[in-house]
Amino acid sequence: PDERLDFQEFFSMTAAVAKREELIERVEADFLIFANNSDAKAEGCDIKHPTNEPAMTKEGIMKTFASVKGEMLSAHIAEEMLFDADFCNHGYLKIDEFVRFVSIVHRRVDIAPD
C-alpha cells in the first residue's frame, strides 16, 4: 500500500489549515472590538499571575451590540453569552477563551447534519 499523500489529500489538508487560520484571525479581530468596548484587562485564571490582556465583559458585549445592531441587549443575555464561553469562570473572556469557544461552536456547526 502506498502511504504517500496524493495531491488532492495534500490540497485538502492545506486548505483546511488556511481556513482555520483565517477563522482565528477574524475571531481575534472581532474579540478586540468587544474588548475595546469593555475597558477591562484580564487577570488570567490564576489571579496571582495577572496577564493585563484585553478582556471581554458583559458591558462590552452590551455596548458592542448597541453600536452594531442599534438595539439594547439585556444584561441577562450578555451574562449568558459570557457564561457559555468563560472557561475559567471569572466573569470575563480572554482572547484564548473566545477563540476556543468559537472554534468549538464552529466545529460543531461544520459537522452538524443538515
Side-chain angles (χ1 to χ4, degrees):
D2 189 2
E3 297 292 325
R4 293 180 284 175
L5 292 174
D6 66 21
F7 177 76
Q8 187 59 41
E9 290 171 324
F10 175 74
F11 182 76
S12 293
M13 290 171 52
T14 55
V17 169
K19 182 179 177 181
R20 177 162 170 68
E21 289 174 357
E22 181 183 324
L23 173 66
I24 289 172
E25 287 175 10
R26 289 191 344 238
V27 168
E28 288 174 346
D30 290 344
F31 171 84
L32 291 175
I33 292 169
F34 286 101
N36 287 338
N37 282 324
S38 293
D39 298 326
K41 296 293 182 190
E43 295 180 3
C45 287
D46 182 358
I47 300 301
K48 297 175 190 161
H49 296 93
T51 61
N52 206 29
E53 298 173 34
M56 183 189 304
T57 63
K58 170 184 73 174
E59 293 78 17
I61 292 172
M62 293 169 65
K63 284 180 188 176
T64 302
F65 191 87
S67 69
V68 171
K69 293 287 196 177
E71 302 173 20
M72 296 302 296
L73 183 70
S74 74
H76 175 73
I77 297 296
E79 287 169 354
E80 286 292 319
M81 293 169 75
L82 273 179
F83 177 79
D84 290 339
D86 184 6
F87 298 110
C88 291
N89 297 315
H90 42 44
Y92 57 82
L93 295 181
K94 298 186 308 179
I95 195 164
D96 59 328
E97 289 175 303
F98 187 65
V99 169
R100 179 177 164 197
F101 177 73
V102 171
S103 296
I104 290 168
V105 171
H106 186 263
R107 205 173 315 124
R108 286 184 184 156
V109 169
D110 278 351
I111 62 174
D114 289 340

